[in-house]
Amino acid sequence: MDTKLIFVTGGVVSSLGKGITAAALGRLLKERGYSVSIMKLDPYLNVDPGTMNPYQHGEVFVTDDGAETDLDIGHYERFINEDLTKLNNTTTGQIYSAVLDRERRGGYQGGTVQVIPHITDEIKLRIRKAIQKLEPDIMIVEIGGTVGDIESQPFLESIRQLRTQLGSRQCCFIHVTLVPYLSASGELKTKPTQHSVKELQSIGIQPDVIVCRSDYPLDKGIRSKIGLFCNVPEENVIENLNARSLYEVPLMLEERGLCRVVLNTLDLEQREPDLTAWSSMVNDDIDPDRECCIALVGKYVELHDAYLSVAEALRHSGIANHARVNIRWIAAEDVEKGDPNEIFKGVDGILVPGGFGERGLEGMMIAARYARDHKLPYFGICLGMQIAVIEYARHILGWADAHSTEVDFNTKHPVINLMEDQVNNLERIGGTLRLGSYTCHLEPGSLAEKLYGTSEVHERHRHRYEFNNDFIEDFRTAGVNFTGWNPRRGLVEIIELPDHPFFVGVQFHPEFKSRPDDAHPIFKGFTAAALEYRSGNLEN
Ligand code: GLN
C-alpha cells in the first residue's frame, strides 16, 4: 500500500475542533500537490446519524452517493474541496452489523467472534477499502470521541495494529488536546495533555505530533515541557489558537509548521504550498465591505450545529458578495407567538431550512407569508420549500386545510405528499429517505437557470415527501413558476415566484455543495438579493 496514513485522535475534552484540524491539514497537504481523502470513525452504535435527533448530533451531512454522515464530513468536503462518499464515514454500528451478519451466514466457521480480532479486523478492512477505492496519496483518519472513552477503544486498537503492520514511516499519529489557562494562577496547564498522552501510550500508541488547543500562545518553555513529558520533539508540539474564521485555521497551522512535521514523520517530500487564493478568501471573510441580516427560522435553532452547512453556505455567499451575513436565529415556535413586524425588523432575507415533524410548521408558514407579502428575499430549503407551497395554497389558492401528509393525513388538499416509493418505508425509517445526488433540469429563462448559468445541475436530497403534481395547474394559474425538475420522475425540484425580487424554494439541499471559495449559486443570489433589499431599505 503506497498511501500514507494520518490518524487524528482527541484528548482531554470533546469539541476541540479535531475535525477542523484534520480538514485544515488536508487542505495544506492538497495545496502541496498531494491527493488527500479524509475519513471519520464514529464510536456510536447507530448505523448512521440519520435516525438521530439533531439535538443529539447536529446536522446530518449527505454525500453524493446518498450516505447520511457526521457533520465533520461536511467540514472535510469544504476544506479539501472533494466530494466524499459513504466510505468516508464508518460507525461502530456499521462495524458490528457487518460482523454479526457474517457470523449469521457462518462466515467465522465455528470460531468464537470477539472484539479482538474480529471487530478490529473489520475496522482495518474499512480503512483499507476506502484507500483502495479512493487511492489518495494520503488518507487522514479521524477517530471520533475522546481517548479514554470505552467506546473508541476498538478503533484505537485497530490503528495501533495498523502502524505495526504498515511500519512507522507509513503512519503519523496526531493527538489534539487542550491546554487550559488558569486565571487564578495566570498559567497555562500542561498536565491534562500529559495525562491524555499517557492514556494513549498505555494502549501502545505514541503520538508523533501534539496539537494543543489553547486560548493563549504557548511559549517555548511550555512546548518543550509538553515535548519532554509526552516523548515528542519540541517542534512537534503545535499550538492551535482561536481563529477569527474557521477558514483561517489552515493558515495558522501552516505558520506553526504542522504540515512540515507531518511530512517529516511520513518521510514525504517537503513542498511549498500556494496559499494565495485561500488567504485572500479568508481576508474577504474576516474583513467584508458590507453586511446583511438573514433570519433563519427553524425548529432546532438553539443548537446551531443542527444547521451547520446552511450557516457555512451563508458565510460562503457572504464571501462571494464581499459581505458579512449575520444570522438571526429564530425559533419557528416563537414566530407563532410574536408579532412578525417585530421579529423580522431589520431582517434582509428569510431562510427556512430542512426539518421533520410538526413542531414549528405554522411559525415557518408565517415567516414565508411575511417574506412573500413584504417582497423580502425568501429561500426555502427542502421543508422550507414545502412550507412555501402550503402557505401559498392556504392564502392565495384559498385552501385553508392545505397541508403536507407528513402532518395531516386527511387533508383534502395534500399539496405535499408522500413519494410513491416511500409508502412502505414508514416503519423502517433508517436510510430509506430519498437520499443523495439527483439530476435537476432548469427551465430556460428562470431565475434558477440564471443563477446557475447552466440548464442541468446535480443536487443532494434527503426527504420523503414531495410536491403533489395533481395540483400543478392550480398553482401555475395562481402564479407559481416550477423551474426545476427531476427529468426521470417528473418531481418538482424548484419553485419560484416571478412577481417577487427573490422567492425560491428547492426540494434539495444546496448547502451541502457550497464551498468557501466557491459559494453555491442560489445562496450567492439569495445574499445578493438580501444586500439589495438592505440598500433599498437603508435609502428609504
Ligand atoms: N420532512 C420533509 C420530508 O421528509 C422535509 C425533509 C427535509 O427538510 N430534509 O419530505
Side-chain angles (χ1 to χ4, degrees), residues 463-478:
H463 64 118
R464 232 181 266 288
Y465 295 80
E466 57 162 331
F467 180 84
N468 183 346
N469 284 354
D470 291 349
F471 295 103
I472 214 147
E473 281 316 317
D474 298 292
F475 276 89
R476 271 202 181 119
T477 313

Side-chain angles (χ1 to χ4, degrees), residues 3-275:
T3 298
K4 302 269 185 175
L5 282 148
I6 299 171
F7 298 107
V8 181
T9 54
V12 186
V13 291
S14 58
S15 307
L16 284 179
K18 229 181 336 141
I20 301 291
T21 304
L25 175 60
R27 183 79 206 189
L28 295 176
L29 291 163
K30 253 197 103 168
E31 295 284 5
R32 286 168 161 83
Y34 291 107
S35 67
V36 177
S37 193
I38 315 186
M39 56 190 300
K40 173 139 194 222
L41 311 180
D42 273 312
Y44 47 74
L45 279 163
N46 303 63
V47 170
D48 61 43
T51 55
M52 277 190 232
N53 185 318
Y55 286 131
Q56 293 271 316
H57 182 272
E59 153 186 289
V60 173
F61 187 82
V62 180
T63 56
D64 271 345
D65 63 349
E68 297 177 277
T69 70
D70 186 75
L71 51 74
D72 274 326
I73 309 303
H75 284 313
Y76 304 163
E77 284 205 354
R78 290 186 281 271
F79 276 80
I80 66 172
N81 191 22
E82 298 276 340
D83 292 329
L84 300 180
T85 69
K86 58 176 184 292
L87 297 170
N88 295 83
N89 192 195
T90 290
T91 66
T92 299
Q94 288 170 24
I95 303 287
Y96 272 80
S97 295
V99 169
L100 294 176
D101 190 51
R102 194 175 301 126
E103 186 273 338
R104 289 291 84 183
R105 287 186 279 109
Y108 293 102
Q109 296 168 348
T112 307
V113 182
Q114 294 175 303
V115 173
I116 302 172
H118 302 106
I119 293 296
T120 46
D121 279 353
E122 180 65 28
I123 294 170
K124 288 187 290 177
L125 185 74
R126 295 215 167 205
I127 298 174
R128 284 178 192 273
K129 262 194 189 154
I131 288 173
Q132 243 168 32
K133 192 83 203 258
L134 305 169
E135 295 184 321
D137 295 332
I138 299 167
M139 174 64 95
I140 302 175
V141 183
E142 180 191 348
I143 316 293
T146 306
V147 167
D149 296 347
I150 290 178
E151 283 88 354
S152 48
Q153 277 179 5
F155 289 124
L156 296 174
E157 169 60 15
S158 305
I159 63 176
R160 183 197 67 77
Q161 292 176 12
L162 269 176
R163 160 122 90 184
T164 309
Q165 287 162 351
L166 298 174
S168 57
R169 285 309 202 186
Q170 212 59 25
C171 302
C172 173
F173 283 78
I174 301 179
H175 192 51
V176 180
T177 73
L178 176 72
V179 179
Y181 178 79
L182 281 197
S183 50
S185 57
E187 280 177 304
L188 287 165
K189 292 299 196 184
T190 64
K191 195 75 84 188
T193 297
Q194 295 177 38
H195 278 296
S196 151
V197 169
K198 272 218 177 78
E199 184 99 36
L200 260 185
Q201 288 165 341
S202 73
I203 47 179
I205 294 175
Q206 167 62 51
D208 301 295
V209 180
I210 301 178
V211 173
C212 302
R213 288 284 292 118
S214 171
D215 290 340
Y216 298 94
L218 307 184
D219 62 27
K220 195 172 153 51
I222 298 264
R223 277 186 288 120
S224 86
K225 186 171 171 191
I226 293 175
L228 188 67
F229 280 103
C230 299
N231 218 13
V232 302
E234 181 191 313
E235 59 164 5
N236 291 26
V237 179
I238 306 286
E239 126 195 308
N240 184 8
L241 299 174
N242 302 326
R244 288 169 294 177
S245 146
L246 218 55
Y247 302 115
E248 198 185 17
V249 175
L251 304 177
M252 289 171 55
L253 291 175
E254 175 65 20
E255 231 171 73
R256 301 288 172 271
L258 174 66
C259 211
R260 190 172 40 79
V261 297
V262 167
L263 290 174
N264 254 344
T265 308
L266 292 172
D267 212 8
L268 283 171
E269 184 193 341
Q270 298 285 352
R271 301 175 186 163
E272 273 309 304
D274 181 4
L275 291 164

Side-chain angles (χ1 to χ4, degrees), residues 434 438-446 448-450 452 454-459 461 482-496 508:
R434 179 175 180 236
Y438 289 92
T439 307
C440 172
H441 280 179
L442 305 172
E443 286 292 325
S446 63
E449 189 208 42
K450 193 174 126 218
Y452 279 107
T454 174
S455 60
E456 186 184 293
V457 293
H458 300 89
E459 292 284 3
H461 295 69
F482 296 89
T483 61
W485 297 95
N486 174 285
R488 220 169 52 78
R489 294 174 55 185
L491 302 178
V492 169
E493 295 280 6
I494 309 180
I495 61 152
E496 294 174 21
F508 47 82

